[in-house]
Amino acid sequence: MKRRTAEPYKIKSVEPLKMLSYDERKDSLKKAGYNTFLINSREVYIDLLTDSGTTAMSDQQWGAIMVGDEAYAGSESWQHLEKAVKDIYGYQYVIPTHQGRGAENLLSQMKIKDGDYVPGNMYFTTTRAHQELNGGTFVDVIIDEGHDSLLDHPFKGNVDLAKLQNLINDVGPEKIPYVCVAVTVNLAGGQPVSMNNLRDVYNLCHRHDIDVMYDATRCVENAFFIKEREEGYGDIAIKDILKEMLSYSDGCTMSGKKDCLVNIGGFLAMNDEDLYTRARELVVLYEGMPSYGGMSGRDMEAMALGIYESIDDKYISHRINQVRYLGNQLIEAGIPVVRPIGGHAVYLDAKKFLPHLKQEELPSQSLAAAIYLDSGVRSMERGFVSGGRNKITGKNNKPKLELVRLTIPRRVYTNDHMNVVADSIMALYEKRDQIAGLKMTYEPPTLRFFNARFKPLSSCGELMTITTSSATT
């Protein structure tokens, strides 16, 4: 008999949770314009909106916060963070930022000029926005398998080398400032990139004098999948796999709010001294001094420790397996989810969940709203709304994947919480034909999924025409 395991931590502090009544949730959803981003956190029972900044920090991290050096320049806490990045990630130079998009802003301003092309293994919302604001055009070079939600492929985040080479041939290497490789790929379902593919991309790009920059936000999760799935890595420690992974890049942007196990902070890292010098000048304009970059000394102390904690094999194994615990329940119940289950979230395939809705009727947004209405569980849309508009034509982008992301915060919830989520989604699936589509009533000019507002398309003006049996009343 295979023995069950438990969380590799014990709970020292608790935060009470409150479930609103069905009518209260219905009222909250209407006030938020059916956008889960606009629901107040006190009105949420289980919050799976994001794993960004929602980590439960360790007792060691909380202790380190008390000794943070808040010096405006030359902070000792910054020196601790810089050492951790160099030790674990292996880059020569580090620029701290307030979070990942601060690093994206710096990188895009320094590297991209008008008319450039930035290939990547599927877009991410803020990354693409920064690239476009600086005159670049994003080009998707992920393998085709990355766009097939039900295909069980071990490394659906891989870059298609033929697509990348064709782009280089078409526009010329001088028009490609860098290739942006996400490890893992968020919008493909948290899917990893293989070590072989990372190595091949790096070698191809360097033959053409093109830099490779990682979105390393969930790089430890990617290292876990390499250890588990790629031949030759099963007996190698996560920290060593991670170091090799990052060696096949020239730098990275990092949101410390994910794999660095903190609530705020990030950095831009690189090996090029000239780029580092430019970044030191630019960070002062947008973030702060090069020795704090928008973070307090407390934040930097916590992140430095979090970097070391994140590479513990027992921690990352539990983290991935909790996500799988939820995903496997849904698969067994016949719920259409992205396969294989990714590193940080379970993704529902909203097109297959709600086949009666056209993509223009926003099935992902509708399903995320319905899950909240049913159980107070907050998730997020990753489809038509997140896709935005083409920067040239102004027409809506239509991503192949129409998903709802159930994002698991690190070290926050137990598997009993995952059971509540699974029960809600299974109940909704039984009555999925009763979920109406949505229409956008307010569309922000950029990153519209954060602040857009919607209304139901049903004749009765309701998102669901019946109350589901699982809904708390």
Side-chain angles (χ1 to χ4, degrees):
M1 180 183 73
K2 183 178 180 181
R3 295 199 175 190
R4 289 173 286 185
T5 61
E7 287 79 4
Y9 53 83
K10 62 181 180 180
I11 298 167
K12 285 191 175 183
S13 178
V14 297
E15 177 185 343
L17 298 178
K18 179 184 178 182
M19 167 74 86
L20 300 183
S21 71
Y22 181 85
D23 287 338
E24 287 173 325
R25 297 196 301 274
K26 183 177 177 180
D27 182 61
S28 174
L29 193 59
K30 286 184 177 180
K31 288 180 179 177
Y34 298 87
N35 186 344
T36 55
F37 276 93
L38 301 180
I39 299 171
N40 293 325
S41 66
R42 67 177 179 273
E43 298 166 343
V44 174
Y45 180 50
I46 298 174
D47 201 343
L48 306 186
L49 183 75
T50 182
D51 62 331
S52 179
T54 55
T55 289
M57 292 197 298
S58 70
D59 56 351
Q60 296 294 311
Q61 288 176 290
W62 282 110
I65 281 175
M66 300 306 294
V67 297
D69 179 3
E70 304 303 339
Y72 187 79
S75 165
E76 187 174 0
S77 296
W78 156 242
Q79 293 169 17
H80 296 161
L81 175 58
E82 183 183 41
K83 181 179 184 301
V85 174
K86 290 181 176 181
D87 284 350
I88 301 304
Y89 300 129
Y91 296 112
Q92 296 183 51
Y93 306 107
V94 190
I95 294 290
T97 59
H98 75 284
Q99 62 182 66
R101 67 195 60 174
E104 291 174 345
N105 175 44
L106 298 179
L107 178 65
S108 298
Q109 288 206 41
M110 291 188 298
K111 296 283 285 182
I112 298 172
K113 60 184 183 299
D114 193 45
D116 279 349
Y117 296 84
V118 186
N121 52 343
M122 199 172 285
Y123 81 97
F124 185 67
T125 51
T126 59
T127 311
R128 187 179 66 184
H130 282 299
Q131 292 165 354
E132 291 180 347
L133 286 170
N134 285 280
T137 297
F138 168 78
V139 180
D140 190 1
V141 292
I142 199 170
I143 59 174
D144 291 341
E145 290 87 342
H147 293 284
D148 187 337
S149 66
L150 299 185
L151 183 66
D152 203 338
H153 184 289
F155 293 105
K156 291 169 78 171
N158 280 357
V159 171
D160 187 316
L161 297 174
K163 290 180 182 178
L164 178 56
Q165 184 65 68
N166 288 338
L167 178 66
I168 295 171
N169 295 341
D170 290 344
V171 305
E174 67 281 357
K175 300 292 288 184
I176 301 176
Y178 62 93
V179 175
C180 182
V181 180
V183 286
T184 59
V185 183
N186 192 339
L187 294 184
Q191 300 300 315
V193 187
S194 73
M195 191 74 82
N196 282 333
N197 188 250
L198 293 172
R199 187 184 302 113
D200 290 344
V201 170
Y202 185 71
N203 290 336
L204 171 61
C205 288
H206 275 235
R207 286 198 298 270
H208 295 281
D209 199 26
I210 298 171
D211 284 346
V212 176
M213 303 296 292
Y214 286 175
D215 175 348
T217 294
R218 298 181 180 90
C219 57
V220 182
E221 294 173 7
N222 200 99
F224 176 89
F225 288 120
I226 289 175
K227 179 181 178 71
E228 182 181 67
R229 300 175 184 176
E230 193 159 0
E231 184 177 358
Y233 290 93
D235 296 327
I236 300 178
I238 290 292
K239 65 181 181 65
D240 295 323
I241 296 172
L242 180 63
K243 184 68 74 69
E244 182 183 349
M245 272 176 51
L246 300 176
S247 74
Y248 301 128
S249 70
D250 298 288
C252 78
T253 59
M254 170 64 82
S255 171
K257 299 165 69 176
K258 286 83 165 178
D259 271 356
C260 295
L261 304 180
V262 288
N263 305 130
I264 197 66
F267 59 81
L268 172 65
M270 71 284 291
N271 292 323
D272 184 291
E273 186 175 6
D274 290 338
L275 188 66
Y276 170 65
T277 300
R278 293 171 59 198
R280 279 180 58 88
E281 301 298 327
L282 199 59
V283 72
V284 177
L285 290 175
Y286 291 98
E287 302 283 328
M289 284 288 289
S291 58
Y292 74 89
M295 282 189 282
S296 67
R298 298 183 293 273
D299 299 329
M300 292 188 286
E301 289 285 359
M303 186 186 291
L305 274 178
I307 288 172
Y308 289 108
E309 291 180 5
S310 72
I311 58 172
D312 177 74
D313 287 59
K314 292 184 177 63
Y315 152 73
I316 191 60
S317 177
H318 170 266
R319 193 284 187 283
I320 299 293
N321 282 307
Q322 184 174 55
V323 178
R324 285 176 176 162
Y325 177 78
L326 172 59
N328 288 337
Q329 287 190 68
L330 299 180
I331 289 174
E332 290 170 8
I335 309 295
V337 302
V338 173
R339 302 185 191 185
I341 302 301
H344 68 292
V346 176
Y347 289 71
L348 307 176
D349 188 324
K351 282 184 180 179
K352 293 180 172 62
F353 199 111
L354 302 176
H356 60 285
L357 297 183
K358 300 175 183 177
Q359 192 170 19
E360 291 80 1
E361 294 173 317
L362 314 183
S364 296
Q365 194 72 44
S366 298
L367 181 54
I371 293 169
Y372 173 77
L373 181 61
D374 178 75
S375 59
V377 173
R378 175 157 64 170
S379 57
M380 79 152 66
E381 181 270 0
R382 279 297 182 230
F384 190 90
V385 180
S386 294
R389 292 181 179 273
N390 183 286
K391 72 169 189 174
I392 298 174
T393 67
K395 294 182 178 180
N396 283 301
N397 296 313
K398 293 186 177 182
K400 294 179 181 178
L401 293 174
E402 190 73 30
L403 307 175
V404 170
R405 192 179 81 178
L406 305 162
T407 330
I408 316 301
R410 295 163 181 80
R411 306 189 294 202
V412 171
Y413 293 116
T414 69
N415 284 353
D416 281 340
H417 292 101
M418 300 301 102
N419 293 338
V420 171
V421 177
D423 287 348
S424 173
I425 293 167
M426 289 187 281
L428 283 173
Y429 193 63
E430 293 297 317
K431 300 171 176 64
R432 56 193 179 277
D433 59 332
Q434 303 296 326
I435 300 174
L438 292 172
K439 176 182 179 181
M440 199 180 307
T441 59
Y442 168 67
E443 180 180 355
T446 58
L447 299 175
R448 61 190 185 185
F449 61 93
F450 283 125
N451 290 303
R453 301 182 72 87
F454 310 88
K455 68 176 183 181
L457 289 169
S458 62
S459 58
C460 63
E462 298 290 341
L463 177 66
M464 299 178 65
T465 57
I466 60 170
T467 300
T468 63
S469 60
S470 68
T472 302
T473 57

